[in-house]
Amino acid sequence: MSFLDKAKEFADKHDKQVDQVLEKIGDEADKRTNQKYSSQIDRGVDEAQKRTGEGDTYQP
């Protein structure tokens, strides 16, 4: 099993945790850019969350 396969399997098994990490990464990127790209960052985080496991499970 390749590293990529293992990463995909992990993301599928731990979707909620992966979504939370993606949200934190987006928040940090937003903070570091002084919210200049908020809508693009939010859209990127949403798309990434949809593509891991069952989809966006993060509920702020």
Side-chain angles (χ1 to χ4, degrees):
M1 182 178 275
S2 74
F3 174 77
L4 219 46
D5 291 334
K6 289 179 183 179
K8 288 178 185 178
E9 186 178 308
F10 177 86
D12 287 342
K13 287 183 179 178
H14 303 283
D15 188 41
K16 185 175 181 178
Q17 291 87 349
V18 171
D19 285 350
Q20 289 173 342
V21 168
L22 288 168
E23 192 68 32
K24 287 180 182 181
I25 291 169
D27 290 345
E28 185 63 25
D30 204 26
K31 183 175 122 184
R32 289 182 183 212
T33 60
N34 294 319
Q35 291 78 34
K36 186 175 181 181
Y37 304 103
S38 290
S39 63
Q40 293 91 335
I41 291 169
D42 288 345
R43 203 168 342 145
V45 168
D46 290 345
E47 284 302 313
Q49 288 173 333
K50 288 177 191 175
R51 295 170 194 266
T52 59
E54 296 294 316
D56 186 2
T57 60
Y58 183 74
Q59 301 297 319

